[in-house]
Amino acid sequence: MPNGPDHIPDRICIDEEDRAIIKTMDDHPEADVRQLLSTNAPVNRSRKEQFLYFMAIGVAHNTKLPIKKRESGGFFLLKDLKPEDNTLIDAVAIWHEGKADVLSDRSKVLEIAEGYAHAGVRFVADSIESQQPGSFLKKIEQNLWSIYTKLNQESNANKSEK
Amino acid sequence: MRISKIALENYRQFRKLAIDFPQHMSSDLHLFVAHNGTAKTNIINAINWCLYGDEPYLSGESQQLPILNQQVMREIGDTGQADVIVEVYAVVDKDEQIMFERKCTYVWNNKSAPMRHGITSRVLVNDTKGNTQVLIDDEASNYVARSIPLGIREFFFFDGARLDNYFKHATAENINLAVLKISQIDLLNKVSDRLMEVRREIEKEVSKGNPTIEKARKEYEDVQNKLEELKNRVVKEKEQVEIAENKIGTYEDELKSCPNAEELEDNRKALKSRRVTNQEQYDKLMSRKCESLFEYGRIIPLVPALLKTDEIIRTKHVAGEIPPVADVSLLDNILATNKCEICKRSLDSNSREEITKLRQLILMSSTIGKELMQIEGIVTITLDRANRFSRDIEDISGLISNVEKELRQIQTNIDSIDSQLEGQNIERIKNIAEERRKFEKIRDEKNRLIGRFNKEIEDKQDEVKDKEKAWDRETKKEQALKSLVNERDACFRIANLLNKCRDTILIDTRDKIRIKTKEIFFSLLWKKHTFADVLIEDDYRIRVLNDLGYDCLGSLSSGERELLALSFTLALHDVSGFDSSILIDNPVIWLDPEHKHNFSNALVKVSKNKQVILLFHTDEYTPAISAILDSEAATRRRIKLTAQEKEVVLEVL
């Protein structure tokens, strides 16, 4: 059931512990990491962009983690989300639930997105720590190619089944 | 004339050294072998300094040093005086002994640079009757100028390392000059000049007392003087051109073994600038790629979610749930009236609850339908965007790869330049190149001036003829002066005759030189069938015709070129009657192994009839060369520096 206007959250939250992790990415000694994720100049990623990226990484690993302690101030305001951002969040919720009914519960949709982003933050952090210096971007590219190739193979298999 | 001994005292690296040149039974071949920097070329410089007072083959390093031996300055102390003496002993016609000597005193105080205090030159001539004639300074210089003229020294001091310049510098004019001087044809010129002087004297007499004639004579003389002035300026400018050419040749020799530092530095600078540009481009592309990876990183993993959403939207389209069509006004009316509008019954509590649930379900379905409608387009666009991942990333990666490749190439080129310049005194090379440019500029300017003067000379010559005719007309009016006029005309006719005679001799001489050059060239040549003829043009340009009749001078190998130059020199000596030794520095340095071998054999042949002194660099004096020359050589010596590297000593091989 959709919540009333009073219950709709106005911001996206992250886990309290994630804040410190994301902060290390802002000022990371590896240029690759900063170039991809830093909110500092000259990259100037927004919190919203970071969140959507972490969410996608969580989805890539098919892992959603429940947030243990929500950061009180929030990560960014929902008003910053553009239709194309909301579409990605909605799609994740639909995919997670397997049906579109979830869209009627905005809190649930956001809770799903936050759960995947929470997992994504941890995966990215692990990936940064485990890479050799200078190879972070290469690994990111490699992973993307691997997902892309797999999707293409699945798509071709589906076509041939039909 | 053959050199029998050279004595050097305090001359550059030579503290005190006498070099004898005894004649061998069968040949007159003398060999010196030396490493770089052991004053080998300074032996030729010493001879030049003794005879002419200059050192044309001085290396860049030696140019910075005083002519006075450094060791002697150290031995004498902070203040002192020492003489530099070079003596060249020569034998003419097997009997007449000549000693050429140049002496220069140097004085230094309190470690100051040595200052030259007086320079003297002497020539001692012992004739066959035992009389000794001593000639000093100007007389000595005149004797040298008569016996081995400065202008033609390149026809007996032969630099193998400067062969490429040989035909370039041996222009018609200096070959003509050489022929004139060494064959003493210039005597005719001197007589002709004297006759013209006598003619002018007579002309002065003729014009005395008659203002009209005097005026015409003066006008003629003025124009004639201007013409002479122009001719003298041309001669002076040509001398300057020759000096510049020699300097350019010297610098080119020095630069031959050095990399083109200026060009390389410019290239390196350009490469570094390109590297900066490419690096900036690389950084931009990497930044673009990073942006793309971030963008696609937010989309690609979500493709399954987007596909799922897309599938649901399509299903709902098929089911007619999109766009949502639910109208809850009927249910609202039933709930408001508490009566079913279809069966007209009143609602019990169960029915009311069911209708309320149904209403909420319809409303929810409608909300989801609307939401899905809103995102439908964006899902499609995002999936399309995801499909462009491969192309976009491959494109940008391709661009990055190209820039990386170019950056690597630039770095390789920079490294290559660095290695070429490593250990080189770049400043010195640049200075030499700058000096060469300076002299090239001077030469070009002088040549332009010469061209302008030549044009003016042509005009002036016409003017001289006009003035001469005018003056002649005036003079002929004076019958009383007839005999003087006849004398004057006779002088003119004889001078003309002498000039014609000189020209005929020159033509004849040139032809003899051609025949002799060809004869010697073909007798020494190892590939005789390749060439058909050697020609010497009117302007002394040498041409070598191949068996098909084409001029192939430009395509001669270094060995063949050197052989041709040697043949020409020998022919010049032979035809002119001028007999001197031949000194060749670095005789086979630029030749390939086969030509080294052949040319060495040719030198042995030449040494049967002429003194040949060869100065080899250690590297060019290979075992193969040694095998050819050693048994024929009258003397073989190694030039070495003492342990302190300040004094030259000779070691007999």
Side-chain angles (χ1 to χ4, degrees), chain B residues 527-539:
Chain B
K527 282 194 307 189
K528 295 180 174 50
H529 60 278
T530 316
F531 306 106
D533 205 356
V534 174
L535 302 178
I536 296 177
E537 302 284 344
D538 292 349
D539 59 1

Side-chain angles (χ1 to χ4, degrees), chain B residues 341-390:
Chain B
E341 289 198 358
I342 300 160
C343 65
K344 307 295 182 191
R345 281 193 296 132
S346 295
L347 300 180
D348 56 19
S349 60
N350 279 345
S351 302
R352 188 174 179 81
E353 194 179 330
E354 285 301 317
I355 290 170
T356 305
K357 272 185 186 173
L358 181 64
R359 181 182 176 277
Q360 278 177 342
L361 274 172
I362 291 169
L363 281 176
M364 190 180 81
S365 168
S366 171
T367 307
I368 293 166
K370 280 181 192 164
E371 287 266 348
L372 290 173
M373 268 181 72
Q374 280 174 10
I375 65 172
E376 184 183 7
I378 300 173
V379 167
T380 311
I381 291 169
T382 313
L383 282 170
D384 285 348
R385 174 103 180 90
N387 276 331
R388 292 202 295 271
F389 166 77
S390 131

Side-chain angles (χ1 to χ4, degrees), chain B residues 495-513:
Chain B
N496 272 345
L497 265 174
L498 286 172
N499 288 342
K500 275 181 191 165
C501 185
R502 178 203 61 200
D503 291 344
T504 311
I505 294 172
L506 274 175
I507 291 166
D508 190 41
T509 307
R510 191 186 64 230
D511 202 43
K512 282 180 183 162
I513 290 173

Side-chain angles (χ1 to χ4, degrees), chain B residues 598-645:
Chain B
N598 293 326
F599 191 68
S600 301
N601 277 323
L603 288 169
V604 169
K605 276 192 201 173
V606 173
S607 73
K608 304 284 179 195
N609 303 308
K610 187 176 275 293
Q611 185 182 37
V612 177
I613 301 170
L614 304 176
L615 297 139
F616 284 96
H617 183 273
T618 314
D619 290 345
E620 62 174 328
Y621 193 66
T622 58
I625 301 293
S626 167
I628 297 166
L629 300 179
D630 284 2
S631 60
E632 299 290 339
T635 60
R636 290 186 298 126
R637 283 164 281 203
R638 185 179 300 283
I639 304 170
K640 288 169 71 178
L641 288 177
T642 51
Q644 295 81 23
E645 299 220 326

Side-chain angles (χ1 to χ4, degrees), chain A residues 1 35-37 45 49 52-53 55-56 59-60 83-84 87-88 90-92 94-95 98-101 103-104 137 141 144-145 147-148 151, chain B residues 287 289-291 293-294 296-298 300-306 308-309 312 360 364 368 371-372 375 378-379 386-387 389-390 393-394 397:
Chain A
M1 298 289 284
Q35 203 168 7
L36 193 77
L37 297 165
R45 296 267 177 253
E49 286 172 327
L52 291 173
Y53 186 78
M55 179 184 78
V59 171
E84 54 268 31
T87 301
L88 297 178
D90 287 352
V92 169
I94 291 169
W95 172 74
K99 53 187 179 180
D101 291 2
L103 296 186
S104 63
L137 269 183
E141 186 180 353
L144 276 179
W145 275 111
I147 298 169
Y148 183 79
L151 286 170
Chain B
S287 177
K289 184 173 179 180
C290 196
E291 263 325 291
L293 288 175
F294 185 75
Y296 283 111
R298 295 191 309 174
I300 299 292
L302 300 187
V303 168
L306 291 164
K308 178 71 185 172
T309 308
I312 287 172
Q360 278 177 342
M364 190 180 81
I368 293 166
E371 287 266 348
L372 290 173
I375 65 172
I378 300 173
V379 167
N387 276 331
F389 166 77
S390 131
I393 297 294
E394 272 170 0
S397 297

